[in-house]
Amino acid sequence: MTQNLSSGGNALQRCIVRACSATYRLNERLYTCRRCGGLLEVESFFSGVDSAEWRRLWSARRASLETKDRSGVWRYRELLPFPNHVPIVSLAEGNTPLYDAPRAAGYCGLSGLRLKHQGCNPTGSFKDTGMTTAVTQAVLLGARTVVCASTGNTSASLAAYAARAELACAILVPEGQVSSAKLAQSLDYGARVLEIEGNFDTAMRAVRELSEDESIYLVNSINPFRIEGQKTVAAELMEQMDWQVPDHLVVPGGNLGNSSAFGKGFSELRTLRLIKRLPRLHIIQAEGAAPLAHYFDRNHPEQNDEDDLVPIENPKTLATAIKIGAPVSWQKAWAAVRRTNGQVLTVTESEIADAKAIIGRDGIGCEPASATTVAGIRKLVAQGVIAGEESVVAVLTGHILKDPDYVTKYHLGQLTLDREGEAPRPIEGKFTNRPTRVQADVASILRALS
Ligand SMILES: Cc1ncc(COP(=O)(O)O)c(C=O)c1O
Ligand SMILES: [Zn+2]
């Protein structure tokens, strides 16, 4: 039933619904439990773990020239549910920087803040760390075609990894709602781009039906092999912090795969005694696309009266990457929030836009969805949930060039909020930086600079 791993242990797929807990082999092509429809996750039974030896091994691999060691995901392959000899589909993902961000820290009311920049992945977003494992699994299963629904980044990433694996790739995106930079990537990597009427949630429903066809493999984050790759970011982050666990880890929330992956990654590191405690995991959503934040407000972790998540029919935010009303992985993310005593909160469009600009002032930059983290941290500090001296890491999920239109509109004062039945409302940026038109002579230039 189980499969031998690089760690020497075994692994299987298990339904996350406690009362069911059905198990399946790793090579069963499933996305949800056949018995109850619950989400699946990979459960690994690690054996013979010597945590000091694993740390030493992972660190030594940084100097290696082997493809598997150059990847910031496969370098931690002892954590992954793949045997050692598997041919991997990799673009040298991971290995992303952990930056100090003093201006953003000051803006939040913190003495220090670190930003783990997952936008520095090969296709410019954190999706690559999960796509390398999901597409490797697709090849192992003999899939011919890989598909996903996407707000833009998943599709760009899948298109690239499918091209590397020489697999056919189809992506479903909501028409007119994906940034042109992300769409351009998918086109260039040769994917079949299907623009559908409706929003991300409509596209997600369609690909789930499509994936009932045996030859088609779905690689949205409902696929547990995506989460496996993404969870290794916890190990990379801990290595960068010399295994000192931050007090708080803050991530944006859309479909909630990323927060689920951090939850799983940190829990496994603790089980393996690589760390002693868990960071508090906080998830930040845009105010118009915040089903988990509403759920959190209704079911505060200290209470036990859990009800079902209520999807948002028509989610709205200019941070298009997280414009999602019915997040597929919400139960896993919720479990991680509860386990770590985290919070889920919303931020406004202005708060996101200003946070994005302040991150830029640290010379870093990110896409709007990523900036929810800094906006959220500022609120959590103001509420006293995070103390000024605590150690905080925010995860930036996408590169600034993923959505350049948003950036220039912000700085030109042209960013507007469109609400149904209301006139478009301009967003007044606190940190706008307009270009100045100037004659091409020295005197005019010097005047403009003074
Ligand atoms: C840049 C960016 N940030 C955040 C998210 C949200 O991640 P998740 O859907 O895993 O919650 C996405 C998802 O598309 C994204 O592209
Ligand atoms: Zn089940």
Side-chain angles (χ1 to χ4, degrees), residues 109-122:
L110 291 172
S111 57
L113 171 63
R114 274 169 288 192
L115 305 177
K116 175 70 175 154
H117 206 331
Q118 294 296 94
C120 298
N121 268 291

Side-chain angles (χ1 to χ4, degrees), residues 395-407:
V395 179
L396 302 184
T397 43
H399 198 280
I400 186 173
L401 297 178
K402 285 282 193 173
D403 200 347
D405 267 8
Y406 179 104
V407 188

Side-chain angles (χ1 to χ4, degrees), residues 12-17 20-43 137 208 217 220-228 257 260-261 264 328-329 331-333:
L12 44 71
Q13 302 186 78
R14 186 185 292 280
C15 172
I16 66 163
V17 178
C20 172
S21 290
T23 59
Y24 304 94
R25 287 191 307 275
L26 289 182
N27 62 2
E28 287 188 76
R29 197 192 59 98
L30 287 168
Y31 313 103
T32 49
C33 176
R34 264 203 294 266
R35 196 192 288 165
C36 78
L39 294 176
L40 298 175
E41 74 178 1
V42 170
E43 186 173 326
Q137 178 70 2
R208 284 185 73 168
Y217 192 58
N220 279 99
S221 55
I222 192 171
N223 182 321
F225 293 89
R226 271 276 305 278
I227 303 295
E228 288 305 293
S260 304
K264 188 169 197 280
V328 167
S329 296
Q331 284 115 329
K332 291 182 181 176

Side-chain angles (χ1 to χ4, degrees), residues 99-103 115 117 357-366 400:
Y99 293 121
D100 276 329
R103 283 197 180 81
L115 305 177
H117 206 331
I358 205 80
I359 294 167
R361 296 291 170 90
D362 272 314
I364 296 171
C366 62
I400 186 173

Side-chain angles (χ1 to χ4, degrees), residues 126-127 151 153 252-258 321-322 324 367 369-370 397-398:
F126 73 98
K127 309 282 183 177
T151 55
N153 280 330
N255 215 13
L256 299 170
N258 198 27
I322 50 171
I324 294 174
E367 71 165 285
S370 311
T397 43

Side-chain angles (χ1 to χ4, degrees), residues 94-430:
N95 300 310
T96 59
L98 179 66
Y99 293 121
D100 276 329
R103 283 197 180 81
Y107 178 69
C108 293
L110 291 172
S111 57
L113 171 63
R114 274 169 288 192
L115 305 177
K116 175 70 175 154
H117 206 331
Q118 294 296 94
C120 298
N121 268 291
T123 76
S125 85
F126 73 98
K127 309 282 183 177
D128 297 342
T129 56
M131 215 49 87
T132 181
T133 43
V135 174
T136 294
Q137 178 70 2
V139 173
L140 278 178
L141 294 178
R144 298 257 183 79
T145 305
V146 282
V147 299
C148 72
S150 179
T151 55
N153 280 330
T154 305
S155 51
S157 180
L158 175 59
Y161 282 83
R164 298 296 297 176
E166 298 184 36
L167 289 173
C169 169
I171 62 171
L172 268 71
V173 292
E175 188 182 10
Q177 295 182 38
V178 170
S179 95
S180 55
K182 297 176 188 177
L183 207 54
Q185 288 182 287
S186 301
L187 295 172
D188 215 42
Y189 301 140
R192 285 295 301 272
V193 177
L194 306 174
E195 297 182 296
I196 57 136
E197 246 178 75
N199 57 26
F200 170 82
D201 302 303
T202 328
M204 191 66 225
R205 275 196 296 276
V207 288
R208 284 185 73 168
E209 276 177 40
L210 197 65
S211 65
E212 281 164 24
D213 182 321
E214 280 285 321
S215 67
I216 291 177
Y217 192 58
L218 176 63
V219 292
N220 279 99
S221 55
I222 192 171
N223 182 321
F225 293 89
R226 271 276 305 278
I227 303 295
E228 288 305 293
Q230 285 175 210
K231 81 178 182 189
T232 63
V233 182
E236 183 176 275
L237 173 64
M238 282 300 80
E239 213 177 19
Q240 286 169 312
M241 296 182 74
D242 200 18
W243 301 95
Q244 301 302 306
V245 179
D247 298 310
H248 304 270
L249 180 72
V250 187
V251 294
N255 215 13
L256 299 170
N258 198 27
S259 26
S260 304
F262 273 111
K264 188 169 197 280
F266 274 101
S267 287
E268 286 185 3
L269 294 181
R270 188 175 61 167
T271 305
L272 293 166
R273 296 177 194 278
L274 284 151
I275 55 173
K276 289 204 178 77
R277 63 183 179 99
L278 301 176
R280 291 180 72 181
L281 179 72
H282 307 296
I283 301 175
I284 320 295
Q285 300 199 292
E287 136 187 279
L292 193 72
H294 301 323
Y295 183 84
F296 177 83
D297 290 342
R298 284 199 307 278
N299 298 284
H300 198 271
E302 282 129 43
Q303 299 163 9
N304 273 323
D305 53 337
E306 295 182 34
D307 53 338
D308 260 345
L309 181 111
V310 180
I312 289 175
E313 202 58 48
N314 194 6
K316 287 220 158 26
T317 171
L318 296 172
T320 51
I322 50 171
K323 193 172 164 188
I324 294 174
V328 167
S329 296
W330 75 268
Q331 284 115 329
K332 291 182 181 176
W334 177 245
V337 167
R338 285 193 74 133
R339 196 162 56 236
T340 65
N341 188 25
Q343 302 237 344
V344 190
L345 62 151
T346 64
V347 287
T348 66
E349 295 296 316
S350 306
E351 287 168 336
I352 296 172
D354 286 331
K356 213 199 77 53
I358 205 80
I359 294 167
R361 296 291 170 90
D362 272 314
I364 296 171
C366 62
E367 71 165 285
S370 311
T372 55
T373 54
V374 166
I377 292 167
R378 190 167 194 252
K379 269 180 104 169
L380 289 168
V381 173
Q383 291 168 4
V385 177
I386 299 180
E389 300 305 315
E390 285 187 297
S391 124
V392 185
V393 174
V395 179
L396 302 184
T397 43
H399 198 280
I400 186 173
L401 297 178
K402 285 282 193 173
D403 200 347
D405 267 8
Y406 179 104
V407 188
T408 39
K409 278 187 180 160
Y410 173 84
H411 288 291
L412 295 175
Q414 294 168 358
L415 211 52
T416 55
L417 206 57
D418 300 318
R419 289 251 162 81
E420 252 164 38
E422 289 177 27
R425 242 185 320 131
I427 291 178
E428 303 279 341
K430 283 196 207 131

